[in-house]
Amino acid sequence: MPTLILVRHGRSTANTEGLLAGWTPGVALDERGAAQAAALPGRLDGVPISEVVVSPLQRCQETVQPLLDARPGLPVHSEERIGECHYGDWSGRKLAELMDEPLMEVVQAHPSAAAFPGGESMRAMQTRAAEAVREWNARVERDHGADAVYLMCSHGDIIKSLVADALGLHLDLFQRISVEPCSLTVIRYTRLRPFLVRLGDTGDFASLMPREETAGGDAPVGGGAGAP
């Protein structure tokens, strides 16, 4: 079965403003995010990517554009099922304000029971994304062979949930996984089991340096802004 490269979108204006973007329209890459996207073709140079599948949201579309420009004719497909979690009434709100919501504790400690008001549950988010990956695995293998490599550009919570699915982890453990903006996560699927080959690889260790403000023990909903 194919190898899947999961790319989280580059840093967005919502990331730097501390907003939970969700499906809010018009959320673009910021200056750093655009630079991250511009570097993506070089990071993937020589990797024989057969297809690109991308979330319909603007920040993901902008992230893959330099790669598409560098590889004219590379097939690209929009896939709603790997779009961001539908955060409903939480969409567009400041993450700092949401920390006071009782639901946030559930999101952090028991995400399989978390359902966003006016939106979807985290369980439903994982299910639709995992189903999309399985269908694309079959399609890519059919069209390009079992050794094919393809790329999906998606969002932090989606990618974390797919990693949990690949590792056989309960969704309640997925907040222990971290994927920064424009990081690469690679899963090689086989008939018997998936193998996690890379996780959140940016090639940059800036996120390990001390910061003036620490995030504490909570996981950033939506994936966070990455290294300063």
Side-chain angles (χ1 to χ4, degrees):
M1 296 179 70
T3 295
L4 170 60
I5 301 172
L6 288 161
V7 180
R8 185 183 167 200
H9 63 77
R11 196 174 75 175
S12 72
T13 54
N15 292 146
T16 49
E17 293 169 7
L19 300 175
L20 186 62
W23 284 70
T24 304
V27 177
L29 299 182
D30 68 6
E31 184 176 353
R32 178 169 182 164
Q36 291 170 333
L40 195 58
R43 293 169 65 194
L44 293 169
D45 186 40
V47 179
I49 298 169
S50 59
E51 306 264 354
V52 170
V53 184
V54 59
S55 158
L57 294 173
Q58 180 178 339
R59 52 198 183 274
C60 288
Q61 301 281 334
E62 291 178 353
T63 298
V64 300
Q65 193 57 54
L67 178 64
L68 299 176
D69 292 341
R71 302 194 188 195
L74 181 61
V76 59
H77 314 272
S78 182
E79 173 59 80
E80 286 202 7
R81 290 174 296 175
I82 62 166
E84 182 61 284
C85 184
H86 290 276
Y87 296 116
D89 297 344
W90 279 26
S91 299
R93 292 182 59 186
K94 286 276 189 183
L95 285 165
E97 298 173 359
L98 292 170
M99 295 307 295
D100 296 328
E101 295 279 353
L103 178 60
M104 182 60 82
E105 185 177 8
V106 182
V107 170
Q108 292 292 328
H110 191 19
S112 65
F116 296 98
E120 71 179 332
S121 69
M122 303 200 89
R123 189 174 62 255
M125 172 200 75
Q126 182 188 42
T127 297
R128 63 171 163 86
E131 287 177 349
V133 166
R134 283 164 174 76
E135 289 180 20
W136 277 101
N137 282 347
R139 176 172 172 175
V140 169
E141 181 175 9
R142 180 196 68 202
D143 295 344
H144 303 281
D147 294 328
V149 178
Y150 73 110
L151 182 148
M152 279 187 170
C153 184
S154 187
H155 307 264
D157 282 347
I158 294 287
I159 294 172
K160 287 162 56 177
S161 75
L162 289 171
V163 170
D165 175 75
L167 292 177
L169 293 177
H170 196 283
L171 184 61
D172 286 347
L173 301 179
F174 101 126
Q175 297 290 27
R176 302 184 184 196
I177 299 166
S178 176
V179 288
E180 292 198 357
C182 224
S183 62
L184 304 182
T185 294
V186 182
I187 302 172
R188 179 175 296 125
Y189 289 88
T190 74
R191 186 173 62 86
L192 296 181
R193 63 183 63 85
F195 292 91
L196 181 63
V197 180
R198 294 282 190 280
L199 175 61
D201 187 347
T202 64
D204 181 358
F205 292 98
S207 62
L208 303 181
M209 303 303 176
R211 304 190 192 186
E212 293 183 4
E213 297 182 6
T214 59
D218 288 338
V221 181

